[in-house]
Amino acid sequence: MNITLNGKSREFSDSITVAAMLAELQLHPQQVAVEVNREIVKRDQFEIHQVNDGDEIEILRFVGGGGKEDNNDR
Amino acid sequence: MIDDSQYIQDEPLKIGNLTLNSRLIVGTGKYKDFEETEKALELSGTEMVTVALRRVDFDADDHLLNHIDPKKYTILPNTAGCYNAEDAVRVCRLGREISNLNLVKLEVLGDPDTLLPNPVETLKALKILVNDGFTVMTYTSDDPVIAKQLEEEGSTAVMPAGAPIGSGQGILNPNNIRIILERAQTPIIVDAGVGTASDVSRAFELGCDAVLLNTGIAGAKDPLRMAVAMKHAAIAGRQAYLAGRIQRKLYANASSPPLDF
């Protein structure tokens, strides 16, 4: 199935959970926030929430920044 | 030798139900690498660090949270890069998922050229966040009217800019900061514009409760040395404030008795 992950098209095996997707991406579930189709998926739902074909997923984490002058391409 | 620590006792800074022994809040951006970030934070003595939220870079093999111990530092997610209330609220809610705290630093900017805060969108976001149970520390200009309004709308701390962002000009309008301080019930934290140690001391001498800075340390030629300088500047300024400075006078006032022989 094809999903849009952080703005880019990406293939994943069918019937995968958010937790399985994070594992495949080698991301620590404690260190990221996940949005599926603009809805936050809470950490305790990672194991349960199924990713569907065509989903738009954002996986976010903390980066260095004091605020203000920071922008996306830094 | 007298142990001076008993003469510089201070009460901790309270933000919501948090207590902090250091009155410096430090940003985590613009360092050479994570090793330098880690060292600078430690040397500054800070207990609260602010972070931005961005998309995961799938190619990176290391990232910030590997270098910030949440037991040592309270993590303060910020809404850097947000230009409207909706985006800022979204970032706060996402940040909460990682930090596991309701604490956020709200900043909603007007445009990328001035980087001045947008007070209308800031207030709009603040109301939503307060309603949603967040403890909000709000970035604002040094306008005393807006600062008071943020407090009235439930901002836990109000964070006026000393000078335009990244300008390193220090506190440009100390009179406004003084007016904000006189009328404030919440902690007032100078955020933005700090260029060097004396700017930090100045903020504390005016009576500010804390200072937030990033570029002042990270952008220095020797960031680690500057981190230490900022730590001492915060202590010096705060202690001078608590000690109570002398009045400014127009004429000289001899410190020795007149010659009597």
Side-chain angles (χ1 to χ4, degrees):
Chain A
M1 79 181 164
N2 188 274
I3 61 155
T4 304
L5 178 59
N6 288 1
K8 285 181 186 150
S9 171
R10 199 150 170 161
E11 288 294 327
F12 280 94
S13 50
D14 289 347
S15 65
I16 192 173
T17 62
V18 168
M21 186 183 64
L22 293 177
E24 195 171 323
L25 295 165
Q26 294 182 304
L27 296 173
H28 199 301
Q30 309 278 339
Q31 295 182 333
V32 295
V34 179
E35 233 184 29
V36 177
N37 303 325
R38 295 284 293 217
E39 295 279 339
I40 290 173
V41 179
K42 298 259 174 203
R43 197 178 287 157
D44 61 11
Q45 299 295 306
F46 285 179
E47 298 280 353
I48 303 159
H49 192 104
Q50 290 286 332
V51 177
N52 296 311
D53 188 49
D55 276 352
E56 291 191 10
I57 301 181
E58 293 286 339
I59 304 180
L60 308 149
R61 71 163 36 134
F62 288 144
V63 300
K68 280 83 72 179
E69 69 267 52
D70 310 302
N71 54 49
N72 287 317
D73 50 23
R74 222 174 43 77
Chain B
M1 271 263 288
I2 300 178
D3 171 13
D4 66 8
S5 64
Q6 63 175 298
Y7 294 97
I8 59 165
Q9 277 170 8
D10 196 357
E11 57 194 36
L13 171 65
K14 287 201 170 68
I15 296 171
N17 49 21
L18 276 170
T19 55
L20 301 168
N21 290 305
S22 164
R23 287 171 179 269
L24 277 187
I25 303 170
V26 180
T28 51
K30 295 186 170 174
Y31 289 98
K32 187 178 70 189
D33 50 35
F34 291 130
E35 193 192 350
E36 189 181 73
T37 312
E38 207 173 316
K39 279 187 185 161
L41 295 181
E42 173 143 13
L43 290 168
S44 75
T46 189
E47 294 177 355
M48 181 184 275
V49 299
T50 183
V51 297
L53 187 80
R54 293 293 178 267
R55 282 176 166 169
V56 165
D57 173 3
F58 297 109
D59 299 325
D61 51 4
D62 197 6
H63 66 102
L64 185 68
L65 277 196
N66 290 337
H67 299 271
I68 295 178
D69 180 359
K71 284 188 224 76
K72 204 162 143 190
Y73 304 108
T74 299
I75 293 178
L76 175 64
N78 63 54
T79 63
C82 290
Y83 289 91
N84 59 62
E86 192 192 344
D87 286 351
V89 169
R90 181 184 179 207
V91 168
C92 289
R93 288 178 175 154
L94 284 162
R96 174 168 66 178
E97 294 300 310
I98 311 177
S99 69
N100 295 316
L101 288 175
N102 282 323
L103 183 73
V104 287
K105 177 190 168 195
L106 172 65
E107 51 185 70
V108 188
L109 303 181
D111 65 80
D113 297 323
T114 65
L115 297 176
L116 290 169
N118 178 329
V120 178
E121 291 295 309
T122 301
L123 272 165
K124 202 161 119 190
L126 174 65
K127 287 180 193 177
I128 298 168
L129 292 168
V130 168
N131 223 3
D132 203 2
F134 279 96
T135 296
V136 188
M137 300 169 68
T138 313
Y139 171 68
T140 179
S141 68
D142 62 5
D143 180 337
V145 177
I146 297 288
K148 192 66 195 169
Q149 206 168 342
L150 292 170
E151 179 184 301
E152 285 165 2
E153 292 295 344
S155 188
T156 302
V158 175
M159 322 219 324
I165 284 143
S167 70
Q169 294 183 61
I171 296 176
L172 286 182
N173 192 340
N175 292 336
N176 268 11
I177 299 290
R178 283 171 59 195
I179 294 170
I180 291 172
L181 284 164
E182 271 192 21
R183 311 196 310 167
Q185 307 293 318
T186 60
I188 299 298
I189 301 170
V190 163
D191 174 11
V194 167
T196 187
S198 54
D199 297 334
V200 169
S201 294
R202 186 82 197 284
F204 285 106
E205 285 168 5
L206 288 170
C208 292
D209 298 284
V211 170
L212 188 151
L213 78 166
N214 187 157
T215 312
I217 295 176
K221 273 187 193 154
D222 183 345
L224 301 184
R225 189 185 287 267
M226 188 59 97
V228 180
M230 293 299 192
K231 176 172 90 175
H232 288 295
I235 294 167
R238 172 74 180 164
Q239 291 302 320
Y241 168 73
L242 293 173
R245 59 155 298 153
I246 60 162
Q247 292 299 308
R248 285 188 173 84
K249 294 186 194 104
L250 187 57
Y251 289 97
N253 189 353
S255 47
S256 314
L259 194 65
D260 57 359
F261 59 93

